[in-house]
Amino acid sequence: AQSVTQLDSQVPVFEEAPVELRCNYSSSVSVYLFWYVQYPNQGLQLLLKYLSGSTLVKGINGFEAEFNKSQTSFHLRKPSVHISDTAEYFCAVTGGVGTSYGKLTFGQGTILTVHP
Amino acid sequence: GAVVSQHPSWVICKSGTSVKIECRSLDFQATTMFWYRQFPKQSLMLMATSNEGSKATYEQGVEKDKFLINHASLTLSTLTVTSAHPEDSSFYICSANPGRGYNEQFFGPGTRLTVL
């Protein structure tokens, strides 16, 4: 079984400040990790993903995340946020080949609010 | 590329009626589609996995007779909420996986269902 914990339900931050959204996972198999963003009443947009290779993953809109296997973490970071980054962010995990293949397990979500 | 659409984007219906939601992959063939449900201020919960030409696999606790899923072609899956009640009001999101080793799901924009 796999699970995802997003450690902060809400993160307020001022515009142009750096931000980190935390995500920890547990899984009995090798995992693929994703960060999605959801704007109100919309579907999910992929920010970035870790499948293999370099542990530092760069995504769209200036976001990046680092896969840390020893700490089972996949924290999302942005060095300078904009008002338009205000949204809800979801961390998700899926396993490799096997019963959990292709099935995403989502974290509880983190609402990022950027203040002017 | 990799666009998934949902129709309708929102629907209001009376209690006791049935509602059909369509999920289409517009520019790729999806061997697997997933249906999620999202309550306000909550994360996405996987309801079922559908594979083209076979019966859907439902997650524990999801009533298969209430939420009928049909994956009739490689580009279309439908979710029918039968005899809808106010507690079925939710945001329903589908996603599609192209298969062939893809480890990513592409999400539709969601359908807001309100049952009066």
Side-chain angles (χ1 to χ4, degrees):
Chain A
Q2 53 197 24
S3 66
V4 179
T5 301
Q6 291 182 240
L7 299 166
D8 307 292
S9 59
Q10 297 191 51
V11 173
V13 65
F14 287 108
E15 193 174 18
E16 297 184 3
V19 71
E20 178 180 81
L21 306 184
R22 296 180 294 169
C23 171
N24 284 93
Y25 69 93
S26 67
S27 176
S28 58
V29 297
S30 298
V31 297
Y32 304 119
L33 294 153
F34 305 83
W35 274 100
Y36 291 90
V37 60
Q38 185 181 35
Y39 298 98
N41 295 310
Q42 294 187 27
L44 274 65
Q45 180 182 7
L46 180 67
L47 282 176
L48 48 77
K49 60 186 175 184
Y50 172 78
L51 303 180
S52 65
S54 174
T55 57
L56 182 62
V57 181
K58 294 188 182 297
I60 62 171
N61 301 340
F63 284 93
E64 64 180 33
E66 185 155 18
F67 171 60
N68 188 320
K69 188 174 182 179
S70 63
Q71 298 189 6
T72 60
S73 67
F74 190 55
H75 301 331
L76 181 70
R77 302 185 182 99
K78 186 169 184 178
S80 176
V81 295
H82 302 288
I83 296 288
S84 59
D85 293 322
T86 295
E88 187 159 19
Y89 293 79
F90 291 96
C91 181
V93 61
T94 186
V97 176
T99 57
S100 62
Y101 182 71
K103 292 173 60 173
L104 281 172
T105 300
F106 285 89
Q108 301 90 328
T110 298
I111 297 174
L112 173 65
T113 304
V114 181
H115 298 282
Chain B
V3 178
V4 176
S5 69
Q6 281 184 243
H7 178 79
S9 55
W10 58 270
V11 56
I12 301 173
C13 69
K14 294 182 178 180
S15 185
T17 61
S18 294
V19 174
K20 180 183 284 188
I21 302 170
E22 291 186 350
C23 176
R24 292 182 185 272
S25 56
L26 299 184
D27 50 5
F28 66 98
Q29 293 183 330
T31 56
T32 305
M33 288 185 171
F34 302 87
W35 286 95
Y36 296 86
R37 184 174 182 177
Q38 186 180 30
F39 289 107
K41 300 186 185 301
Q42 294 189 26
S43 188
L44 282 75
M45 297 299 295
L46 179 66
M47 299 175 65
T49 302
S50 74
N51 293 291
E52 186 266 340
S54 63
K55 291 184 177 180
T57 302
Y58 291 81
E59 296 299 300
Q60 192 173 7
V62 177
E63 300 176 60
K64 61 181 180 181
D65 294 331
K66 181 167 187 62
F67 298 100
L68 300 179
I69 292 172
N70 184 14
H71 195 156
S73 76
L74 286 172
T75 59
L76 173 64
S77 177
T78 60
L79 167 67
T80 301
V81 184
T82 62
S83 187
H85 292 285
E87 57 265 30
D88 298 323
S89 298
S90 189
F91 195 52
Y92 292 88
I93 303 175
C94 73
S95 70
N97 183 299
R100 302 189 309 275
Y102 264 84
N103 296 302
E104 178 180 345
Q105 295 178 26
F106 299 97
F107 285 83
T111 296
R112 174 75 60 192
L113 170 63
T114 301
V115 184
L116 302 176

